[in-house]
Amino acid sequence: MLGGSMLKCMRGMFSSEGIFSVYKGVEYPLYSVPIINAVVFSAYESAKLMMGLPRDQEMDMYHGLIAGGWAGLVNCIIVTPVELIKIQQ
């Protein structure tokens, strides 16, 4: 299929593997992305609470940097190893 148009490629996919070939590989992100978002946003909100800020209060840049850094650290510790295992399989 190298060197063909996108339409030609799609026709080839449909004829050889069916219409569901378009959705190959979408299952894992469909399940994992909401979990990753829940972990990151929970870490962000917990950092706000640890700093003593109410949920509905606007944060200044300093507090936002700390809360975002904490969420990024939690993301690196929890999500990155899971993604590494996924790509090694």
Side-chain angles (χ1 to χ4, degrees):
M1 276 298 149
L2 293 176
S5 69
M6 187 171 87
L7 192 57
K8 192 175 184 181
C9 179
M10 294 291 280
R11 266 193 234 123
M13 284 174 52
F14 291 156
S15 67
S16 66
E17 301 177 43
I19 187 77
F20 293 109
S21 65
V22 177
Y23 301 105
K24 254 187 188 176
V26 78
E27 185 176 349
Y28 179 78
L30 195 62
Y31 296 135
S32 65
V33 169
I35 295 169
I36 292 168
N37 284 341
V39 167
V40 171
F41 284 111
S42 296
Y44 183 79
E45 289 296 324
S46 68
K48 282 175 55 176
L49 290 175
M50 284 190 283
M51 290 186 283
L53 299 172
R55 286 180 178 251
D56 57 351
Q57 179 183 346
E58 287 280 330
M59 286 191 299
D60 59 355
M61 189 170 66
Y62 176 73
H63 288 105
L65 180 69
I66 291 174
W70 174 250
L73 180 67
V74 169
N75 183 32
C76 289
I77 292 170
I78 294 175
V79 176
T80 304
V82 173
E83 293 290 322
L84 180 66
I85 292 168
K86 178 194 78 163
I87 64 170
Q88 287 181 345
Q89 289 181 351

